[in-house]
Amino acid sequence: MLALVDGPSIDVEVDFSSYYRERRDPDRESKLLYQWHQLLWGRNTPGVGPFRIEVEWAGGYGLRLHDNGGNQFRLGSDAMVPTWSSLGWARRFNPALVDEIASDHGNFFRLSSTIGGYIVLPRNNVGQTGQTLNQARGISRAIADRFDLTLECIRRHYQEPERLNPLSEPLRRYADFFSLFGTFETYVRFFLLEDIVTPDHSAVRSLMPGFETASLDAPALPESPAHYREYRSRGMAFLTARNARIRSLGL
């Protein structure tokens, strides 16, 4: 276990895209990414924690969060805004959509790989089995790895934990983690997600065009080049705003 208390200062201009180009995974292999997670989620936040965060290595990097009640939670990094540019995703799209994804892929991909494009989600502790939230959102056709739809499921979990949604099973499994924040509004504030929710926190803003708020009944994947262009524009605006929030913390 690596108790990294004084990691390098966060630079929102640095991106981790080179890992993906080398077929590596920064969510497992980047010590720097986890040092920055440690700084962000171990910061003093009114109404939350305090938390003590440790970076650990067990065949890949991870975090261990200690709350003030002596409880421990394993956490892992996950990218928030997919570009769907990998071959596995591209096979699902028509040629015109594949061309659109490639047309401005570099800028979007780089921005989605900055620290503003990452969040931490709970991993299984001893005795917990089943898909993690990260795994479930990646394979769910209703979510397609989109964080706006993931966040809508989290919002519904806080609002009506017994109500079914595409991620209700892992959300219930990790209910103790989400209870650390008490309310959806506090969860949003802690993880610097204000720019993807409405001001009253009653809805999550959709990154896909055609829907004012995130809809779990709408197609999760883009259906045309125009859809993807708008998704890319909204995704980049969110990532830029979140990076600005991170920069303002001065960590």
Side-chain angles (χ1 to χ4, degrees):
M1 185 172 295
L2 310 171
L4 303 169
V5 178
D6 297 314
S9 297
I10 295 174
D11 184 348
V12 299
E13 298 300 325
V14 170
D15 70 82
F16 298 91
S17 59
S18 62
Y19 281 82
Y20 303 110
R21 289 193 294 268
E22 297 167 1
R23 297 185 179 182
R24 299 166 62 205
D25 184 359
D27 291 322
R28 288 184 52 83
E29 301 177 55
S30 176
K31 178 180 178 180
L32 179 62
L33 177 59
Y34 276 92
Q35 287 177 313
W36 287 354
H37 278 312
Q38 184 186 38
L39 288 172
L40 282 169
W41 318 129
R43 75 187 193 280
N44 292 326
T45 307
V48 183
F51 300 141
R52 180 168 60 88
I53 308 285
E54 295 174 324
V55 177
E56 58 184 9
W57 171 268
Y61 285 106
L63 295 178
R64 189 170 295 272
L65 182 152
H66 303 257
D67 69 9
N68 56 7
N71 301 301
Q72 298 184 28
F73 302 85
R74 293 183 66 236
L75 308 175
S77 176
D78 194 25
M80 299 170 66
V81 182
T83 63
W84 298 310
S85 55
S86 68
L87 183 60
W89 284 108
R91 288 171 177 162
R92 306 185 184 200
F93 303 135
N94 63 55
L97 185 49
V98 172
D99 288 345
E100 179 59 42
I101 291 172
S103 68
D104 191 28
H105 173 248
N107 290 331
F108 189 18
F109 189 48
R110 186 202 68 77
L111 186 57
S112 69
S113 303
T114 60
I115 186 61
Y118 292 91
I119 197 165
V120 291
L121 297 172
R123 289 177 173 172
N124 286 341
N125 273 319
V126 175
Q128 287 182 315
T129 59
Q131 292 176 343
T132 65
L133 185 56
N134 184 358
Q135 292 167 334
R137 80 187 197 96
I139 67 172
S140 169
R141 291 187 176 183
I143 304 300
D145 221 21
R146 283 171 51 185
F147 190 75
D148 55 340
L149 299 182
T150 302
L151 190 60
E152 172 61 15
C153 291
I154 293 172
R155 187 190 71 81
R156 295 186 186 192
H157 172 78
Y158 277 106
Q159 185 182 51
E160 299 179 77
E162 298 306 315
R163 181 184 176 187
L164 292 178
N165 68 63
L167 300 177
S168 55
E169 183 177 345
L171 286 170
R172 290 172 185 171
R173 187 179 309 120
Y174 303 120
D176 53 350
F177 170 75
F178 290 99
S179 69
L180 293 173
F181 309 97
T183 66
F184 179 65
E185 181 175 357
T186 303
Y187 177 87
V188 165
R189 178 167 54 85
F190 181 76
F191 284 107
L192 308 171
L193 302 170
E194 291 93 336
D195 299 291
I196 203 173
V197 300
T198 56
D200 63 358
H201 295 80
S202 65
V204 178
R205 299 186 189 278
S206 177
L207 294 182
M208 196 65 71
F211 303 94
E212 180 63 26
T213 58
S215 170
L216 299 178
D217 299 319
L221 291 170
E223 297 184 311
S224 70
H227 269 190
Y228 187 83
R229 280 194 295 273
E230 182 62 21
Y231 168 80
R232 180 171 56 213
S233 176
R234 295 184 187 189
M236 292 180 74
F238 165 61
L239 294 166
T240 299
R242 191 164 183 258
N243 271 331
R245 290 184 183 275
I246 290 172
R247 182 189 289 113
S248 71
L249 295 174
L251 297 175

XYZ file of all heavy atoms in Angstrom, residues 156 160-169 172 216:
112
model
N -31.426 8.569 -9.087
C -32.622 7.790 -8.756
C -32.382 6.907 -7.531
O -33.303 6.668 -6.745
C -33.051 6.943 -9.952
C -33.497 7.783 -11.137
C -34.061 6.936 -12.262
N -34.350 7.755 -13.432
C -35.067 7.340 -14.478
N -35.562 6.109 -14.489
N -35.278 8.145 -15.510
N -35.067 7.203 -4.826
C -35.908 6.026 -4.596
C -35.041 4.773 -4.707
O -35.000 4.142 -5.759
C -37.048 5.960 -5.600
C -38.015 7.136 -5.575
C -39.087 6.983 -6.627
O -40.011 6.177 -6.388
O -38.987 7.645 -7.676
N -34.334 4.399 -3.645
C -33.394 3.274 -3.733
C -34.028 1.938 -4.099
O -33.328 1.039 -4.580
C -32.762 3.228 -2.332
C -33.689 4.000 -1.454
C -34.323 5.034 -2.318
N -35.329 1.790 -3.897
C -35.982 0.528 -4.232
C -36.459 0.484 -5.679
O -36.871 -0.568 -6.170
C -37.171 0.291 -3.291
C -36.774 0.173 -1.826
C -35.707 -0.887 -1.604
O -35.837 -1.991 -2.181
O -34.733 -0.599 -0.884
N -36.427 1.627 -6.365
C -36.885 1.690 -7.752
C -35.840 1.090 -8.681
O -34.658 1.379 -8.570
C -37.158 3.142 -8.135
C -37.653 3.349 -9.550
C -37.798 4.847 -9.819
N -38.194 5.116 -11.193
C -38.254 6.324 -11.720
N -37.951 7.390 -10.984
N -38.625 6.491 -12.981
N -36.267 0.261 -9.616
C -35.344 -0.390 -10.523
C -34.828 0.599 -11.569
O -35.567 1.456 -12.053
C -36.020 -1.570 -11.230
C -36.375 -2.777 -10.360
C -37.082 -3.833 -11.208
C -35.135 -3.363 -9.709
N -33.563 0.472 -11.896
C -32.960 1.181 -13.021
C -31.853 0.282 -13.563
O -31.541 -0.745 -12.964
C -32.461 2.570 -12.595
C -31.292 2.519 -11.638
O -30.220 2.019 -11.979
N -31.469 3.032 -10.429
N -31.251 0.597 -14.698
C -30.255 -0.309 -15.286
C -29.054 -0.609 -14.395
O -28.363 -1.607 -14.616
C -29.819 0.435 -16.558
C -30.995 1.271 -16.915
C -31.578 1.711 -15.617
N -28.791 0.224 -13.384
C -27.640 0.010 -12.498
C -28.064 -0.185 -11.048
O -27.249 -0.073 -10.141
C -26.681 1.208 -12.603
C -26.089 1.485 -13.983
C -25.221 2.738 -13.958
C -25.279 0.294 -14.492
N -29.337 -0.491 -10.820
C -29.829 -0.561 -9.439
C -29.143 -1.664 -8.630
O -28.902 -1.489 -7.430
C -31.348 -0.753 -9.419
O -31.739 -1.886 -10.162
N -28.788 -2.786 -9.276
C -28.162 -3.876 -8.522
C -26.807 -3.475 -7.943
O -26.593 -3.600 -6.723
C -28.036 -5.131 -9.389
C -27.465 -6.324 -8.626
C -27.402 -7.586 -9.468
O -28.050 -7.630 -10.537
O -26.705 -8.527 -9.051
N -27.175 -0.735 -5.194
C -27.605 -1.252 -3.891
C -26.457 -1.962 -3.184
O -26.324 -1.884 -1.962
C -28.781 -2.204 -4.079
C -30.075 -1.522 -4.501
C -31.135 -2.540 -4.849
N -32.334 -1.910 -5.369
C -33.355 -2.567 -5.916
N -33.292 -3.883 -6.014
N -34.409 -1.918 -6.368
N -33.405 7.354 -19.507
C -32.976 5.962 -19.548
C -33.771 5.161 -20.559
O -33.505 3.980 -20.767
C -33.093 5.342 -18.156
C -32.243 6.010 -17.076
C -32.470 5.338 -15.726
C -30.766 5.972 -17.435
